[in-house]
């Protein structure tokens, strides 16, 4: 029974990590046109905990994408310098949407795994009660 509990714990950690990743991706998408906005990046790392199952994951610290911000020519913009340029955002909408789709599919896969383990646990408990 602990293997089923561990599998639920593993998929729950994946659900949490992908949900946090989706939150950062949605923030990036929302700020695609915000001047000076730097894209947020997340990575996954092993969750080293004595209470959780081995192999659990969590998101690492949020980092900002340090690629150069594009210069946007708009002399009427309040943030424009004397030459009429201001810093744009380094968010690429196509990349963010593709990453969001990947995170969504990973979330759904973890949810399916969690549900399967829950159903198997319930079936095992039903067998033990007979």
């Amino acid at each position: 029974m602990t293997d089923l509990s561990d599998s639920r714990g593993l998929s729950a950690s994946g659900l949490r990590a992908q949900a946090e990743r989706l939150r950062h991706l949605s923030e990036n998408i929302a700020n695609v046109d915000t001047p000076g906005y730097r894209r947020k990046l997340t990575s996954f790392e092993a969750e080293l905990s004595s209470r959780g199952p081995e192999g659990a994951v969590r998101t690492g610290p949020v980092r900002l994408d340090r690629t150069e911000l594009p210069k946007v020519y708009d002399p009427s913009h309040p943030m424009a310098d004397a030459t009429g340029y201001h810093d744009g955002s380094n968010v690429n909408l196509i990349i963010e949407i593709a990453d969001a789709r990947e995170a969504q599919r990973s979330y759904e896969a973890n949810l399916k795994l969690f549900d399967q383990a829950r159903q198997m646990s319930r079936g095992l408990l039903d067998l033990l009660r007979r």
Side-chain angles (χ1 to χ4, degrees):
M1 184 87 141
T2 60
D3 289 339
L4 290 173
S5 296
D6 285 352
S7 66
R8 285 194 315 254
L10 288 173
S11 59
S13 75
L15 286 168
R16 283 189 298 273
Q18 292 297 347
E20 188 168 338
R21 180 180 176 207
L22 280 166
R23 184 173 59 84
H24 293 305
L25 290 167
S26 64
E27 289 174 8
N28 289 343
I29 291 170
N31 287 292
V32 70
D33 291 326
T34 303
Y37 182 82
R38 291 192 179 273
R39 175 179 183 229
K40 291 181 181 178
L41 303 169
T42 58
S43 60
F44 297 114
E45 44 187 56
E47 190 173 286
L48 303 174
S49 170
S50 59
R51 55 191 175 113
E54 185 178 332
V57 296
R58 64 182 171 89
T59 54
V62 176
R63 299 178 326 277
L64 297 179
D65 186 349
R66 289 291 169 195
T67 59
E68 191 172 328
L69 295 174
K71 296 292 183 188
V72 178
Y73 181 74
D74 185 2
S76 65
H77 195 278
M79 295 178 71
D81 60 14
T83 61
Y85 287 93
H86 67 86
D87 288 336
S89 167
N90 66 356
V91 175
N92 183 331
L93 193 56
I94 294 171
I95 291 173
E96 299 304 317
I97 290 172
D99 286 351
R101 184 168 290 169
E102 178 189 2
Q104 178 185 3
R105 287 186 177 145
S106 294
Y107 184 92
E108 290 170 355
N110 279 297
L111 187 59
K112 187 101 169 153
L113 179 64
F114 185 89
D115 189 47
Q116 289 291 324
R118 185 182 55 82
Q119 288 177 12
M120 289 169 53
S121 295
R122 183 180 295 155
L124 184 59
L125 287 174
D126 289 345
L127 282 174
L128 292 174
R129 288 184 187 144
R130 290 183 189 174

